[in-house]
Structures are given as C-alpha cells and as structure tokens.
Amino acid sequence: MSDERKAKSNTSAAERVGGSVKKTEHKSDEPDFQTLLHAWLESHRASLVDSVSRLFKQPIGSFFTCLVMAVALSLPMGLALLLDNVERLGGSWQRAAQISLFLKLDIDAARGEKLRDEVAALPDVAEATWISREAALEEFQQLSGLGEALKELPENPLPGVVLVTPEEVDKDKLEALRTRLAALPGVEQAQLDLLWVERLTAILKLGDRFVFGLSLLLIATLLLVIGNTIRLHIENRRTEIEVVKLVGGTDGYVRRPFLYMGALYGLGAGLIAWLLLAYGLGWLNEAVTRLAGLYGSDFGLAGVPSGDALSLVIGAVLLGYIGAWLAVARHLSELAPR
Amino acid sequence: MIRFEQVGKRYPNGHVGLHELSFHVQRGEFLFVTGHSGAGKSTLLRLLLAMERPTSGKLLLAGQDLSRITTAQIPFLRRQIGVVFQNHQLLFDRTVFDNVALPLQILGLNKREIGQRVMTALERVSLKDKALQYPADLSTGQQQRVGIARAVVHRPALLLADEPTGNLDPRLAAEIMGVFEDINRLGTTVLIASHDLALIARMRHRMLTLQRGRLIGDGEAS
C-alpha cells in the first residue's frame, strides 16, 4: 500500500516538472484512498490470477512439484500420527501405572471393600478396584492354564487385591503414593511396576525426537524444492522482471506473483499430503485391525484429525510462501536491469 | 529538467565511462546524444535511469539528486521516465495491449483508465488496430512503435531512447523519429542516444557529442 502512496506523490511530482500532460488529464492522477486501496487489491488479484494461470499452463510440472513437497510433508506428519496411535494403543497412562495392593491373607471381603473405599477417597487416586481372593484365583486359573492343579491345593493361596489407578503419572508422586498405601493397615505389599511404562515413554520420546529431526530435515528439503522451483520461474521471467523494474516496478511488485506461486505450490502440496495420509492410514488400518482382532482387541488406527489436517495445509502454504520469499530475496538483486 | 554538473563515472576496473560532464536540458527539449561506440552514450542513459550512480559530480533530474537517491526511491524515479530500447524489450507472451498497459498496472490505475490510456497511446503510434495481437506477429518497426507506446503511456516527463532506430531501415527510422517528435510536441522532454549522424542531421535538433566520456560538442545538428 505504501508503494502506491509513494507512487501518488511521485506521479504528481512528475506532472509538476514534466508539463507533458494537459491540465485536464492531471485530475485523473490524484487517486483518493479508496482508489489506492482498490488498486492495491487489484494488483494482488492480478498477481494471484497470473500465478494460478502459470501453474495451470504447466500442469504436469506443477503437479510433480506439489507431489514432491507433499511426500516431504506427509512423512513426518504420518510418523507423528502413528506415534499418537501407539500412545493410544498403550492405553491411558493412569491405567499403565496401576498400583497393586496385596492384602494380608486374613483380610476378608468386607474389610477389603472398606479399604478400597478408603483408598478411592484419597486425593491422588483416580479409581480403586477390589479383587477378592476367589476372583483372583479364578482369573489365575484361567490365565495360567494350571486350573486342575490349583484345585488340588488345600486352600486358596492368593490374597485379596485392591487395584489403585493414580490421578497423575509422575514417578516421584507415584512412589510417594505407593509408600503411603503400603503403610495402610491390612496391606501386605504395595507393588508398582513402572519399568515398562518408563521404557514405553522412552521409546515414544525417541520417536518424538526422530519425528522432530525428520521434520526439520524435510522442511529444509521443502524450502530447497520450492526455492529451486521459484528460481527457475524467475529465470524464465528474467526479461519481464527487468522490464518491470525499468518502468518503475518496486521490489514488492516484482516479488508478489512469485510469493503467490510459492503459496499455491504449498496449498497444492498440503492438500495432496492430506490425501496421501488419509488414504495411507486407511490402507494400513485394514492390516492393523486384522492383527488387533487376532489379539481380541478392537484397536484401529485413527485417521487424520481435521485440526491436524488444517494445520498441515496452512503450514504447507506458509512454507511455500517462505521458500518463495527466500528465493526471490536471493535472486532479485541479481536481476537489476542491464 | 536535467542538469549534469561535473559528472564523472569511473568503473571498479578503472575504466572511465564519463569524464566531468556538464550540461543541462530544458523541459520540453528534444536532443540527441551521439558519439562512437564506447563514447559514453549508454553510460549517460544508465545514470539518468539510476541503473548506475555517478562517482563524482552532481546529477539532477527534475530537482532530484540522482547521486544520492536511495534504492527504494529508484522505482518512483523511473515512473517519471519512459524508456525505448534498440531491441524493444517487449514481452512476447503478452499482447500488444498488455505490453503497453504494464507501466499503468504498476501505477495501480483501474482497468477503465488503463484501457483508455493504452488505446490513446496505441493511436498515437498508429497501432490501435493491433492491440490484441502478439509482438511476434508485428514487423520490427511496429514492435518499436509498441515500445514507444509503452514508454509514453504513463505520460512521463522525460523520454529516453537508446539507439531506437538501430535495426531499422532509413524509411522506418524516419517514421519512428516522427513519432518521437509528435511526443515532444506534447511537451515531453526527449533524449535520444544514436550514432546515426545522417538521421540526426536531418532532424535539426540539439546534439551532444561525446568522445571517450568527454563532451566535445553541444549544438544544433547540421
């Protein structure tokens, strides 16, 4: 907008010194704010239309550029979505970090249920479940395959158990809670198995870091791809740029169509990446649900959340714009009129 | 309109393009700059277009000191100037209309006004009926006239031309010079760099003669 304002003042200056224009013609060169705004919008519209038409003039080339960018975008995004699914598969963290309170053998069901209620009322506890000695034995018989042998035992060797689901998964807080629960009357042992939780957390953190590193690498690749594509467009329009500069086009005016082009490449890439991810996850999901079914689970991969899809497209547009801006900034100074 | 005060241009490799050049041009004048190849004609035009800066002296264009102009001001300076090139510098993927409209689009004029001004400019160079054709469909002389229409469509105060008849036969060259004179009659200052002394002599306008970057003659061509 400032360019056009300056243009106004300079056009007027030209008329003052030039004297080449009849007095009646001068009036049309005094645009008001609305006219300037319209001119600015018109200039953007023209740049956008020009960029779109240039992309469609080379549909195959444009498509493959978008496709390369889309693959670069969909790889880290796809991995991030898979990691989300793995986290979901691992169950909620609260469930993963349950504390098992093994009660003394002389604790009967009534006292066990009372203890369950006391534990459930504690502030750091989300849920507490009572498993009676009989229920524990029945489950063990089913899971161990030693059902007949266990029937031969003179009495049930298993204690009653209160399963405690903590409010928050924090190693220090969980350890403190376990110590507190172990001190409760009637509790023989309080067991907290955090090792596998820690391992899963470490694996997921590694995965997150890998996705982050890969994202940085592929964003750099994407900027290079868009930068190189825009550089070729600039080379193809070298004469036009030189002429535009000679007849008074500002750097902003020269830059504008290339920025739109970069953003349009980004938009195309974002949409293709979205489609690739949606179809890719759908295709993978068939195998995953079949495998999960064999384990008696109804687990399935979640698709691309609409929020993530929108972020993907907006991010792609921004990356395209930034890549184009960097390319134009680098090459514009080389395109001074000769 | 134009004032050169002891203007010098020395290139980084030591070559001297212009040597303490001093002259001034009145508003509405028509003048030629002539000299052999390497005399400094193109350097003079490049200084006026702020494509290069003087290394010494003072160069004023419409009161603006070009030796002190900022990079951001250059586009707005160029909007006061029309330029015609020997090789036309037309955009061959655009119609004649679009080529001529380019300076007006940069100024941000609306479509209606662009349409009116382009057609007026094309009429001035007798190419109104070629508006929707592409430059490749035109003769060399017609292409040069399109270049002139583009140079004057935004009503510049100053029109610069670098060897505008260099590739044209004498009849076409005279025709193009006639167009320049028409434009000059409307009040535009016209400065033409040319080494075609025969053509210049016929025109009987002021002529600056350069030799190795020095001004060795300033007077009416004869």
Side-chain angles (χ1 to χ4, degrees):
Chain A
M1 193 67 207
S2 59
D3 286 359
E4 279 68 21
R5 280 181 186 282
K6 287 178 192 170
K8 177 190 168 187
S9 63
N10 279 277
T11 305
S12 304
E15 287 157 3
R16 279 199 302 279
V17 296
S20 62
V21 188
K22 290 174 189 170
K23 198 74 185 170
T24 49
E25 289 176 314
H26 284 200
K27 286 178 185 173
S28 61
D29 286 344
E30 297 291 341
D32 55 16
F33 175 76
Q34 204 173 358
T35 311
L36 285 170
L37 180 66
H38 178 266
W40 183 74
L41 291 172
E42 173 59 25
S43 165
H44 276 269
R45 190 200 64 80
S47 293
L48 180 60
V49 169
D50 178 66
S51 301
V52 172
S53 69
R54 280 176 196 276
L55 289 181
F56 278 99
K57 270 183 191 167
Q58 296 174 313
I60 296 173
S62 303
F63 174 74
F64 276 104
T65 302
C66 288
L67 191 61
V68 169
M69 290 171 67
V71 170
L73 281 169
S74 55
L75 275 174
M77 185 76 177
L79 277 173
L81 287 170
L82 283 176
L83 278 179
D84 282 348
N85 280 290
V86 170
E87 283 181 24
R88 205 161 53 82
L89 181 64
S92 68
W93 292 112
Q94 280 80 0
R95 283 178 61 196
Q98 272 178 341
I99 299 170
S100 303
L101 300 182
F102 297 101
L103 307 187
K104 289 175 180 162
L105 287 174
D106 59 347
I107 301 293
D108 60 19
R111 282 187 62 198
E113 284 176 7
K114 190 170 174 245
L115 187 65
R116 188 241 356 243
D117 294 341
E118 285 171 20
V119 169
L122 291 173
D124 292 339
V125 174
E127 193 183 345
T129 312
W130 162 245
I131 300 171
S132 67
R133 294 180 66 191
E134 293 72 27
L137 181 63
E138 197 177 327
E139 190 180 340
F140 186 65
Q141 280 173 334
Q142 282 175 0
L143 295 176
S144 66
L146 301 171
E148 291 305 314
L150 289 168
K151 280 178 187 169
E152 299 301 319
L153 292 171
E155 63 175 309
N156 182 358
L158 300 178
V161 178
V162 176
L163 280 177
V164 182
T165 305
E167 195 72 57
E168 195 179 345
V169 178
D170 176 276
K171 196 181 171 187
D172 294 336
K173 284 185 178 174
L174 279 173
E175 193 51 45
L177 179 64
R178 190 197 69 79
T179 309
R180 240 166 88 195
L181 293 173
L184 289 174
V187 175
E188 180 70 36
Q189 188 187 357
Q191 185 177 302
L192 168 65
D193 184 8
L194 267 181
L195 191 59
W196 80 271
V197 176
E198 285 173 348
R199 281 176 183 162
L200 183 62
T201 308
I203 290 168
L204 289 174
K205 273 187 181 167
L206 178 68
D208 280 343
R209 191 161 285 202
F210 179 72
V211 168
F212 181 72
L214 189 68
S215 300
L216 289 183
L217 201 65
L218 290 173
I219 283 171
T221 307
L222 203 140
L223 289 176
L224 287 174
V225 169
I226 193 76
N228 195 48
T229 306
I230 294 297
R231 184 184 64 78
L232 291 175
H233 279 288
I234 291 171
E235 279 302 318
N236 288 336
R237 297 172 71 177
R238 180 179 276 272
T239 307
E240 181 185 340
I241 293 169
E242 287 176 2
V243 171
V244 165
K245 282 190 161 189
L246 267 179
V247 297
T250 58
D251 283 353
Y253 186 89
V254 173
R255 196 183 293 127
R256 201 170 293 152
F258 297 108
L259 297 184
Y260 272 116
M261 196 166 276
L264 286 169
Y265 274 125
L267 179 66
L271 292 173
I272 293 173
W274 184 359
L275 287 175
L276 282 176
L277 286 171
Y279 279 99
L281 285 174
W283 174 74
L284 204 58
N285 192 37
E286 285 178 25
V288 169
T289 48
R290 201 176 307 128
L291 181 67
L294 293 173
Y295 285 92
S297 167
D298 60 351
F299 175 78
L301 292 175
V304 187
S306 52
D308 287 358
L310 196 65
S311 303
L312 175 72
V313 175
I314 292 171
V317 170
L318 283 175
L319 281 172
Y321 183 90
I322 292 166
W325 200 93
L326 292 173
V328 181
R330 187 164 176 269
H331 297 288
L332 204 60
S333 57
E334 297 167 12
L335 292 171
R338 285 172 290 187
Chain B
M1 181 71 200
I2 301 170
R3 183 173 288 275
F4 276 68
E5 291 177 7
Q6 303 286 313
V7 171
K9 175 64 188 176
R10 180 186 287 272
Y11 290 95
N13 63 5
H15 171 71
V16 178
L18 291 177
H19 191 85
E20 294 187 354
L21 208 62
S22 294
F23 66 91
H24 74 271
V25 178
Q26 298 289 340
R27 192 179 304 157
E29 253 194 280
F30 190 121
L31 77 156
F32 289 100
V33 177
T34 189
H36 293 295
S37 199
K41 305 188 295 292
S42 295
T43 303
L44 189 146
L45 295 187
R46 292 172 71 82
L47 289 177
L48 285 169
L49 279 166
M51 290 162 77
E52 286 171 13
R53 287 167 195 268
T55 44
S56 63
K58 200 172 187 181
L59 170 52
L60 298 170
L61 173 61
Q64 197 165 8
D65 188 348
L66 299 194
S67 51
R68 294 184 180 182
I69 193 168
T70 64
T71 308
Q73 286 174 316
I74 290 173
F76 304 102
L77 168 88
R78 290 179 182 159
R79 291 177 190 187
Q80 303 175 45
I81 305 171
V83 202
V84 180
F85 307 91
Q86 182 178 358
N87 60 356
H88 326 310
Q89 291 274 52
L90 298 179
L91 306 176
F92 281 77
D93 60 341
R94 298 190 186 193
T95 62
V96 166
F97 183 97
D98 288 337
N99 267 279
V100 178
L102 188 62
L104 304 180
Q105 287 165 349
I106 289 169
L107 283 174
L109 299 191
N110 62 47
K111 278 183 182 172
R112 187 181 55 81
E113 188 152 10
I114 288 175
Q116 284 173 356
R117 286 210 197 179
V118 170
M119 294 318 285
T120 304
L122 286 175
E123 194 171 19
R124 200 171 280 174
V125 295
S126 309
L127 285 177
K128 201 174 176 182
D129 57 330
K130 307 285 185 190
L132 298 179
Q133 291 194 17
Y134 285 85
D137 301 330
L138 306 180
S139 67
T140 310
Q142 287 173 328
Q143 287 179 6
Q144 189 59 294
R145 281 191 278 157
V146 175
I148 295 170
R150 185 181 65 192
V152 299
V153 72
H154 58 299
R155 301 163 184 166
L158 172 65
L159 179 62
L160 302 176
D162 191 7
E163 301 284 3
T165 58
N167 292 330
L168 305 179
D169 62 49
R171 188 186 60 80
L172 274 178
E175 187 185 311
I176 293 297
M177 284 301 169
V179 174
F180 282 126
E181 284 191 317
D182 288 345
I183 292 162
N184 177 245
R185 271 191 282 275
L186 291 168
T188 304
T189 307
V190 178
L191 191 156
I192 299 172
S194 174
H195 64 268
D196 189 346
L197 288 173
L199 181 73
I200 294 170
R202 281 199 300 275
M203 305 276 295
R204 305 190 71 83
H205 287 294
R206 182 182 170 193
M207 179 177 77
L208 302 176
T209 308
L210 297 178
Q211 191 178 59
R212 291 178 186 167
R214 293 174 192 273
L215 184 64
I216 58 164
D218 183 355
E220 189 179 304
S222 59

